[in-house]
């Protein structure tokens, strides 16, 4: 089941073309982009799919590919769709990041003519939208970790506990090879 449930990944070149952004903007938006509100509080605007410094990724959204001495990231169709929705819903975030790559942004970087309180509202609307995405509940894991795709976990659960069965004790036994128990446990909500 696990071997037949591999997600399709797209190289960064395909993702940049489909979303209409540069490699630098893709790299920033899929990692951490911070903005400070008018009171100096951090507001996360990045998707946090990867962290090069921690060597971590969010499985089912991103993976690391090494070609020779170069390291690249590839993204699933779900990650691509989220990026497209994000750019469509909040193009001003992408515009500001494209204009200037910074570690920290401020409300006036995005909205120089708005009062600080209005800029804060805009920043927090992005933060709320990001937090409601399913990927926001997914933890990062070390990029070397072997993690079964979510689709495979669901298929295993269906095979182990058939639909309509009230008791896990009535489930058919399933033989797994080379699978860590952590790969088949239900992810936390």
């Amino acid at each position: 089941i696990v071997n037949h449930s591999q997600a399709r990944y797209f190289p960064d070149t395909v993702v940049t073309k489909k979303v209409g952004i540069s490699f630098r903007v893709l790299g920033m938006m899929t990692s951490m982009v911070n903005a400070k509100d008018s009171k100096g509080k951090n507001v996360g605007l990045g998707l946090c799919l990867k962290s090069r410094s921690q060597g971590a990724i969010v499985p089912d959204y991103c993976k690391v590919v090494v070609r020779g001495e170069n390291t690249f990231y590839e993204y699933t169709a779900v990650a691509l769709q989220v990026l497209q929705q994000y750019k469509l819903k909040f193009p001003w975030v992408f515009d500001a990041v494209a204009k200037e790559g910074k570690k920290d942004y401020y409300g006036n970087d995005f909205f120089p003519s708005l009062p600080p309180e209005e800029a804060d509202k805009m920043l927090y609307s992005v933060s709320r939208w990001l937090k409601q995405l399913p990927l926001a509940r997914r933890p990062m894991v070390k990029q070397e970790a072997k993690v079964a795709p979510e689709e495979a976990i669901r298929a295993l659960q269906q095979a182990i506990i058939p639909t309509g069965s009230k008791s896990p004790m009535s489930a058919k036994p399933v033989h797994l090879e080379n699978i860590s128990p952590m790969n088949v446990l239900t992810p936390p909500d």
Side-chain angles (χ1 to χ4, degrees), residues 30 77 89:
T30 55
K89 193 165 180 67

Side-chain angles (χ1 to χ4, degrees), residues 1-116:
I1 290 176
V2 172
N3 290 336
H4 298 293
S5 299
Q6 297 299 322
R8 182 170 176 218
Y9 285 84
F10 298 98
D12 51 8
T13 53
V14 171
V15 175
T16 56
K17 285 179 186 160
K18 287 188 180 263
V19 180
I21 56 178
S22 70
F23 289 102
R24 184 181 63 75
V25 172
L26 175 66
M28 290 182 71
M29 295 305 298
T30 55
S31 58
M32 289 182 63
V33 174
N34 285 314
K36 293 191 184 293
D37 68 10
S38 61
K39 295 176 179 67
K41 185 177 175 194
N42 278 336
V43 181
L45 302 179
L47 292 172
C48 299
L49 297 180
K50 62 185 178 61
S51 171
R52 189 177 292 264
S53 64
Q54 296 175 9
I57 54 144
V58 175
D60 288 337
Y61 290 91
C62 180
K63 76 175 183 177
V64 174
V65 177
V66 178
R67 289 186 210 113
E69 305 224 350
N70 298 318
T71 301
F72 301 93
Y73 291 92
E74 293 186 349
Y75 304 91
T76 62
V78 176
L80 172 60
Q81 184 179 16
V82 168
L83 278 162
Q84 289 170 324
Q85 290 171 350
Y86 191 176
K87 187 176 180 208
L88 193 65
K89 193 165 180 67
F90 303 103
W92 50 268
V93 176
F94 287 78
D95 292 344
V97 171
K99 189 167 70 172
E100 187 176 11
K102 296 175 154 186
K103 184 175 177 2
D104 286 314
Y105 291 86
Y106 295 89
N108 63 356
D109 291 327
F110 300 105
F111 307 106
S113 60
L114 282 182

Side-chain angles (χ1 to χ4, degrees), residues 174-185:
V174 175
H175 179 70
L176 302 174
E177 294 179 11
N178 299 322
I179 303 292
S180 165
M182 294 307 293
N183 289 344
V184 294
L185 295 174

